[in-house]
């Protein structure tokens, strides 16, 4: 099972100049006009213009990341990059040594990071990975209005997780609940074994109190789409592993209605004794 060794996040980094993006107007027109849309130059000029590369550059500067030496690198995102024809997983791999199998996961919406964790687990079970880096990226500069982004005032954000094979909270399972099924029922089953020792972390797209029970809970603030629970994990995981045996990360995709859950288990005494990052 993948174990969390280090994590970092970035939210709303400084805005960039719009000129490079505006130079790609012909590309954007070719992209959206076949679908009956028009490029909104005013929207583009007012956007932050923070690219996936900008987010990656900031994330790899964090302690315990640049020297992680991964053998597997995965980049997950739910929204497209501002810059066309960019491949971020080999770029991230090069920054971290250039020796990893690398690929990206996208066009899955909020599910992309959860799918990436399944991939890390599969690589580990096959003996093909001892240390993986997962980057979850979200940039909000788009050539046309997109209600999910603009109506909800999303901001640029990114998370990077270093995942190994020993120590730290372990990703015990990742699962999905279809829109036609009850996410609350499944969460109730997962918390029932140890309600006092389980922390339920819900993203902004899920009901603040889905179980209607008095159990430890953390609700993420609005402003992000697919990075929400991962930002919370990056900020609080060292505290959570000492206080809770189980942490459930859960959010519902507002576009598909599907709910995605990651279950982290900690041996609190063992993890604290190791004093990992």
């Amino acid at each position: 099972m993948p174990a969390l060794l280090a994590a970092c996040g970035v939210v709303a980094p400084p805005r960039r100049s719009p000129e490079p993006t505006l130079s790609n107007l012909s590309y954007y027109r070719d992209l959206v006009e076949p679908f009956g849309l028009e490029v909104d130059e005013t929207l583009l000029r007012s956007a932050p213009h923070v690219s996936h590369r900008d987010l990656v550059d900031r994330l790899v500067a964090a302690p315990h990341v640049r020297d992680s030496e991964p053998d597997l690198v995965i980049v997950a995102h739910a929204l497209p990059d501002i810059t066309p024809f960019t491949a971020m997983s080999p770029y991230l791999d090069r920054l971290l040594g250039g020796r990893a199998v690398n690929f990206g996961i996208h066009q899955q919406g909020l599910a992309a990071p959860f799918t990436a964790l399944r991939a890390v687990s599969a690589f580990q079970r096959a003996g093909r990975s001892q240390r993986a880096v997962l980057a979850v990226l979200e940039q909000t500069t788009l050539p046309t209005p997109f209600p999910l982004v603009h109506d909800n005032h999303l901001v640029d954000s990114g998370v990077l997780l270093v995942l190994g094979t020993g120590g730290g909270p372990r990703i015990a399972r990742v699962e999905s609940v279809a829109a036609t099924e009850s996410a609350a029922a499944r969460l109730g089953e997962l918390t029932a074994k140890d309600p006092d020792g389980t922390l339920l972390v819900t993203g902004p797209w899920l009901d603040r109190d889905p179980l209607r029970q008095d159990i430890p809970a953390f609700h993420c603030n609005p402003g992000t789409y697919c990075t929400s629970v991962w930002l919370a994990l990056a900020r609080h995981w060292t505290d959570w592993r000492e206080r809770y045996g189980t942490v459930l990360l859960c959010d519902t995709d507002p576009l598909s209605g599907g709910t995605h859950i990651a279950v982290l288990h900690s041996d609190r005494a063992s993890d604290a004794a190791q004093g990992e990052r």
Side-chain angles (χ1 to χ4, degrees):
M1 297 181 290
L4 181 60
L5 305 180
C8 62
V10 58
V11 178
R15 299 165 64 90
R16 300 291 299 272
S17 168
E19 280 73 18
T21 303
L22 293 176
S23 68
N24 295 317
L25 284 176
S26 61
Y27 166 80
Y28 294 136
R29 292 190 179 102
D30 290 341
L31 185 69
V32 305
E33 287 179 355
F35 298 94
L37 302 174
E38 294 183 0
V39 171
D40 188 333
E41 293 189 38
T42 301
L43 181 68
L44 276 175
R45 291 183 185 280
S46 64
H49 299 275
V50 174
S51 69
H52 284 174
R53 178 171 176 170
D54 295 326
L55 293 169
V56 165
D57 287 344
R58 289 179 175 274
L59 291 169
V60 297
H64 312 303
V65 171
R66 184 172 289 277
D67 60 351
S68 58
E69 299 183 347
D71 50 31
L72 175 64
V73 168
I74 305 177
V75 173
H77 61 89
L79 301 172
D81 197 3
I82 182 178
T83 307
F85 313 119
T86 57
M88 290 314 302
S89 58
Y91 176 72
L92 176 55
D93 175 35
R94 181 170 66 84
L95 294 179
L96 297 177
R99 294 183 292 273
V101 173
N102 62 84
F103 56 90
I105 296 177
H106 56 95
Q107 295 187 346
Q108 295 192 15
L110 187 147
F114 295 87
T115 300
L117 287 180
R118 290 187 176 100
V120 173
S121 180
F123 269 77
Q124 285 191 0
R125 289 196 305 271
R128 297 180 59 190
S129 177
Q130 294 296 311
R131 180 160 297 195
V133 163
L134 166 60
V136 187
L137 308 178
E138 186 158 286
Q139 75 83 31
T140 60
T141 299
L142 301 173
T144 59
F146 186 27
L148 176 70
V149 173
H150 300 110
D151 291 354
N152 292 286
H153 308 290
L154 301 192
V155 298
D156 303 304
S157 58
V159 180
L160 192 145
L161 308 178
V162 180
L163 301 160
T165 56
R170 299 174 301 282
I171 312 295
R173 62 188 302 131
V174 179
E175 58 185 79
S176 299
V177 180
T180 55
E181 301 176 1
S182 172
R186 181 55 184 149
L187 291 172
E189 294 172 353
L190 291 170
T191 58
K193 295 181 180 180
D194 185 15
D196 293 330
T198 299
L199 175 68
L200 176 60
V201 181
T202 54
W205 310 102
L206 188 67
D207 188 346
R208 180 177 291 271
D209 184 14
L211 300 183
R212 303 293 191 270
Q213 297 176 11
D214 186 17
I215 65 168
F218 180 98
H219 188 72
C220 301
N221 292 325
T224 59
Y225 175 33
C226 76
T227 57
S228 57
V229 295
W230 311 106
L231 284 169
L233 181 66
R235 291 167 178 157
H236 303 291
W237 73 278
T238 54
D239 175 52
W240 289 347
R241 72 175 179 179
E242 296 175 0
R243 298 176 58 189
Y244 305 103
T246 301
V247 174
L248 305 181
L249 304 178
C250 178
D251 207 358
T252 296
D253 194 315
L255 299 180
S256 70
T259 297
H260 305 280
I261 304 168
V263 182
L264 284 72
H265 284 320
S266 293
D267 181 340
R268 282 169 280 182
S270 174
D271 289 347
Q274 291 188 43
E276 291 183 307
R277 299 175 182 178

